[in-house]
Amino acid sequence: MITLYDLVFRGDRRPSPYCWRTKYALAHKGLQWTEMPMGFTEKDKIAFADSKTVPVIKDGDTPVKDSWVIAQHLDRRYPAKPLFKDEAARNHALFVNGWVDTAVHGALFPILVGDLYERVRPEDRDYIRESRGGRLGTMDLVSFQAAALEKGQPAFRVALEPARRVLKVQKFLAGDAPGYPDYILLSPFLWGHAVSPLKLLAEEDAVHAWRERMLDLFDGMGRKAKAA
Amino acid sequence: MITLYDLVFRGDRRPSPYCWRTKYALAHKGLQWTEMPMGFTEKDKIAFADSKTVPVIKDGDTPVKDSWVIAQHLDRRYPAKPLFKDEAARNHALFVNGWVDTAVHGALFPILVGDLYERVRPEDRDYIRESRGGRLGTMDLVSFQAAALEKGQPAFRVALEPARRVLKVQKFLAGDAPGYPDYILLSPFLWGHAVSPLKLLAEEDAVHAWRERMLDLFDGMGRKAKAA
């Protein structure tokens, strides 16, 4: 019995890219889970795991926090259908994890932050304005996004170039079949999907075709997610 | 009998990051090779391989071009001490290859281009000014670099963040021992080493400590390379 604590926005939208990594990890392994939605200001719900951020899972009686640690935990406890079939697969995913967290999220955040603000639960608006605004040096997240968009959208596409190079020559980052590196890279697109109407990719982009393949996985789990 | 065609600058400096990848691939596999230095305007020397860029190798009678293709060729022809022990290792290296070629080279090129111009063989100066200047939209490569430096040096360090995240938790990108992803990432530093006096990394950077480990490999091959 696995419970996943998942960030929730208005209208039951689920934006957290880190939680999406965990959902795809669970689905890849064929595991069932129950979701416990949690707003930004309900961190008391995950205090049992000594965490201030999601994802957190409760696997039986065991609390596990952090999407990367959860992925390792799942492979240890449930060895079938491994996320990391050997050390090289783990090292590949570890690099992609760091790349997405910095280069990809870094390029996406400025062109999403106003939409995040507008779609968060009303009771979480002050929290997101202060935490994200503090990082950006402005409390007006909507104007910040509007100003960032013109340069930010092409810059986001440029940031994806390392993945594009791979996806021009093979179907998935992990080869012929999707793997944890692919779930990591899908997660910022699902973040965008939940809050923003922006077309993040051009249709002729190899990354676009890959994203379509990814959204089909596991009975269209990502495609069915509540959109902006 | 393997011959490597290697780009040469004034004073026998060897800047090509792609050639360095091949040298480390050969050294990793314990193979011997002979180097055939070649200036930018001596492309007739590699016409036999139907290539306009180095590295090119002649392995017995077989010409092979492109550092990535050469690495696959070496593993096929000499299976001992593999560069890619399985498909996951190959996928890891393929991603890092695309990342270094775009994000890392892209951040390094503007702060190196004037030094490249000043250290190229005199007979290759027009070639590099026109080919690189065409890309940058100016024929004055030295002034371009001087103007790029203030923002470019910190931007280069930021671009390395995905590698830094990995190297804070393990010795090499490939794990406990260096692998082809590490050789790929070392190559832009050897490019810099050959032409530029710039301190590309702060000493407290985890990437700096990793680079020191890399420069020690194979009897200090990279450390001994002719510097700017």
Side-chain angles (χ1 to χ4, degrees):
Chain A
M1 171 65 181
I2 299 174
T3 307
L4 167 66
Y5 291 79
D6 189 16
L7 185 65
V8 68
F9 273 21
R10 262 199 299 123
D12 203 32
R13 291 180 185 86
R14 307 296 179 97
S16 167
Y18 301 102
C19 291
W20 279 110
R21 296 180 201 179
T22 296
K23 290 177 219 175
Y24 275 83
L26 289 162
H28 176 101
K29 297 184 74 69
L31 296 168
Q32 304 290 316
W33 72 94
T34 311
E35 287 172 12
M36 189 73 85
M38 187 198 98
F40 273 126
T41 52
E42 299 180 296
K43 293 188 192 292
D44 53 306
K45 289 189 181 175
I46 51 170
F48 73 94
D50 193 29
S51 184
K52 288 184 168 159
T53 54
V54 285
V56 157
I57 64 164
K58 198 168 169 187
D59 184 1
D61 287 331
T62 311
V64 191
K65 61 181 173 182
D66 182 302
S67 63
W68 180 255
V69 177
I70 290 169
Q72 318 300 313
H73 162 85
L74 294 176
D75 261 11
R76 254 192 324 271
R77 186 170 293 196
Y78 309 97
K81 300 181 191 161
L83 292 162
F84 313 107
K85 75 175 171 21
D86 62 13
E87 202 54 27
R90 208 195 68 97
N91 285 325
H92 180 197
L94 181 63
F95 188 88
V96 172
N97 209 52
W99 173 68
V100 170
D101 285 356
T102 58
V104 181
H105 284 192
L108 187 53
F109 178 68
I111 60 175
L112 221 59
V113 65
D115 290 318
L116 289 167
Y117 175 73
E118 292 192 325
R119 285 168 181 84
V120 80
R121 301 183 319 157
E123 57 268 51
D124 296 333
R125 285 197 142 188
D126 288 349
Y127 173 88
I128 199 170
R129 189 175 51 228
E130 279 154 39
S131 62
R132 273 56 178 175
R135 211 188 290 172
L136 298 171
T138 170
M139 291 298 129
D140 184 354
L141 304 180
V142 174
S143 299
F144 182 92
Q145 174 180 316
L149 211 53
E150 193 188 356
K151 286 188 175 176
Q153 185 169 20
F156 173 72
R157 293 177 181 185
V158 168
L160 295 168
E161 189 59 23
R164 189 172 293 117
R165 295 246 172 150
V166 175
L167 297 170
K168 278 179 179 172
V169 297
Q170 61 189 40
K171 282 179 75 178
F172 298 100
L173 297 181
D176 294 332
Y180 199 67
D182 296 283
Y183 307 143
I184 296 169
L185 181 56
L186 183 64
S187 69
F189 291 104
L190 291 169
W191 189 23
H193 177 83
V195 300
S196 162
L198 201 63
K199 285 203 189 311
L200 291 173
L201 297 171
E203 288 192 16
E204 63 278 16
D205 189 341
V207 184
H208 186 283
W210 162 87
R211 189 179 60 179
E212 291 298 305
R213 290 192 288 278
M214 292 299 296
L215 291 172
D216 287 340
L217 296 176
F218 311 126
D219 200 27
M221 179 166 81
R223 204 183 289 285
K224 287 177 192 162
K226 196 115 183 234
Chain B
M1 172 66 180
I2 299 174
T3 306
L4 167 66
Y5 290 78
D6 189 17
L7 185 65
V8 68
F9 273 21
R10 263 199 299 121
D12 203 31
R13 290 181 185 87
R14 307 298 178 96
S16 167
Y18 301 102
C19 290
W20 279 109
R21 296 180 201 179
T22 296
K23 289 178 219 175
Y24 275 84
L26 289 162
H28 176 101
K29 298 185 74 69
L31 297 168
Q32 303 290 317
W33 72 95
T34 311
E35 288 172 11
M36 189 73 87
M38 187 199 99
F40 273 126
T41 53
E42 299 180 296
K43 293 189 191 294
D44 53 307
K45 289 189 181 175
I46 51 171
F48 73 94
D50 193 27
S51 185
K52 288 183 168 161
T53 55
V54 285
V56 157
I57 64 164
K58 199 169 168 186
D59 184 1
D61 288 331
T62 310
V64 191
K65 63 181 172 183
D66 182 302
S67 62
W68 180 254
V69 177
I70 290 169
Q72 318 301 313
H73 163 84
L74 293 176
D75 261 12
R76 254 193 324 270
R77 187 171 290 198
Y78 310 98
K81 299 179 192 161
L83 292 162
F84 313 107
K85 72 175 175 16
D86 63 12
E87 201 54 27
R90 209 195 68 98
N91 285 325
H92 181 198
L94 181 64
F95 189 88
V96 172
N97 209 52
W99 173 68
V100 170
D101 285 356
T102 58
V104 181
H105 285 191
L108 187 52
F109 178 68
I111 60 175
L112 221 57
V113 66
D115 290 317
L116 289 167
Y117 175 71
E118 292 192 324
R119 285 167 182 85
V120 81
R121 300 184 319 157
E123 57 268 50
D124 296 333
R125 285 198 144 187
D126 289 348
Y127 174 88
I128 198 170
R129 189 176 51 230
E130 279 154 39
S131 62
R132 274 55 178 175
R135 211 188 292 171
L136 298 171
T138 170
M139 291 297 129
D140 184 354
L141 304 181
V142 174
S143 298
F144 183 91
Q145 174 181 315
L149 211 53
E150 192 188 356
K151 286 188 176 174
Q153 184 169 20
F156 173 73
R157 293 177 181 185
V158 167
L160 294 169
E161 190 59 25
R164 189 171 293 118
R165 294 244 172 152
V166 175
L167 297 170
K168 278 179 178 172
V169 298
Q170 62 188 40
K171 282 179 76 179
F172 297 99
L173 297 181
D176 293 332
Y180 198 67
D182 296 282
Y183 307 143
I184 296 168
L185 181 56
L186 183 63
S187 69
F189 290 104
L190 292 169
W191 188 23
H193 177 82
V195 300
S196 162
L198 202 63
K199 285 202 188 313
L200 291 173
L201 298 171
E203 288 192 16
E204 63 278 16
D205 189 340
V207 184
H208 186 284
W210 162 87
R211 188 180 60 179
E212 291 299 304
R213 289 192 287 279
M214 293 300 296
L215 291 172
D216 287 340
L217 296 176
F218 312 126
D219 200 27
M221 178 167 82
R223 205 183 288 287
K224 287 176 192 164
K226 196 113 182 235

